[in-house]
């Protein structure tokens, strides 16, 4: 089994990045794909969003510094075929520590290599901090694909140019010449407003076919789900956001050809 590594990133916070990572992980698992979600954000929202408590020493921190194996940090979740490498606040210190390591951008790629080689997981999703930090750079260098969630607002395109520039730099420098933009997904879409529709049209002009057809609606149920430690698929299987993420998952499976 070939393992597909996807980084979910946006330097702007509050765009539904972690919600998208959790929801896609759950939907892919529900579709029969063994999935590993790597929480690389010190805020650990993906960890709590899957109902896992933050525990000292449970994160990728030590393996990133060469202390132990990353595969030893894998934990099962309450959901079939979905595993997690959790986060905790100690990852904040990784930024400083990584600067002292040779090739600091390649650390996560090396740590993930044994997991990728086993073929245990069909998809590895990496949830990044909402910044272009060294942890985010590591996630870019470790992945084959980049998925960018964008909120339906006028500021949505801000930062996309930066991500494109970084993508090109990683390719040209040799840090990750194979990194490709898997696509852009619009989140927090409100069909009642002209603004949401205008922003989607504007993003489509910029990205064309790289923009997923599926848009993720703004719903109260989607906002509630993390406080119950469940992906939206398991919190409310029948809400509009669940249906949207299931359709988006189908698009992603088609693009990855898995």
């Amino acid at each position: 089994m070939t393992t597909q590594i996807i980084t979910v990133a946006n330097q702007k916070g509050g765009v539904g990045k972690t919600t998208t990572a959790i929801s896609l992980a759950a939907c892919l698992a529900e579709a029969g794909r063994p999935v590993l979600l790597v929480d690389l954000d010190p805020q650990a929202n993906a960890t709590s969003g899957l109902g896992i408590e933050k525990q000292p020493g449970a994160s990728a921190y030590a393996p990133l510094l060469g202390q132990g194996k990353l595969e030893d940090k894998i934990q099962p979740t309450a959901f079939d075929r979905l595993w997690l490498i959790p986060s905790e606040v100690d990852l904040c210190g990784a930024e400083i520590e990584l600067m002292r390591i040779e090739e600091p951008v390649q650390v996560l790629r090396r740590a993930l290599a044994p997991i990728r080689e086993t073929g245990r997981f069909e998809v590895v999703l990496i949830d990044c901090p909402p910044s272009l930090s060294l942890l985010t750079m590591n996630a870019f260098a470790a992945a084959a694909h980049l998925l960018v969630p964008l909120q339906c607002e006028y500021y949505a395109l801000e930062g996309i140019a930066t991500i494109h520039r970084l993508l090109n730099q990683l390719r040209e420098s040799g840090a990750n010449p194979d990194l490709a933009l898997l696509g852009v997904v619009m989140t927090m879409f409100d069909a009642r407003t002209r603004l949401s529709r205008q922003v989607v049209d504007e993003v489509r002009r910029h990205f064309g076919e790289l923009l997923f057809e599926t848009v993720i609606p703004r719903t109260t149920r989607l906002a509630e789900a993390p406080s119950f430690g469940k992906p939206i698929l398991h919190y409310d299987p029948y809400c509009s956001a669940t249906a949207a993420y299931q359709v988006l998952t189908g698009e992603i499976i088609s693009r990855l050809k898995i």
Side-chain angles (χ1 to χ4, degrees), residues 39 94 132:
D39 190 352
L132 294 180

Side-chain angles (χ1 to χ4, degrees), residues 172-207:
E172 293 164 6
S173 69
N176 189 355
D178 300 322
L179 182 61
L181 181 59
L182 178 63
V184 176
V185 58
M186 302 305 300
T187 63
M188 304 182 189
F189 179 81
D190 188 343
R192 299 169 300 178
T193 68
R194 184 183 300 174
L195 173 62
S196 281
R197 296 192 297 272
Q198 287 175 338
V199 171
V200 171
D201 289 343
E202 182 69 19
V203 173
R204 184 167 283 115
R205 277 196 291 272
H206 276 76
F207 290 100

Side-chain angles (χ1 to χ4, degrees), residues 142-173:
H145 309 281
L146 176 63
L147 176 66
V148 180
L150 281 185
Q151 188 177 356
C152 289
E153 60 171 35
Y154 271 128
Y155 295 115
L157 293 176
E158 284 193 1
I160 281 291
T162 306
I163 288 177
H164 256 304
R165 191 160 56 247
L166 182 59
L167 196 70
N168 291 331
Q169 286 174 354
L170 284 164
R171 288 170 179 160
E172 293 164 6
S173 69

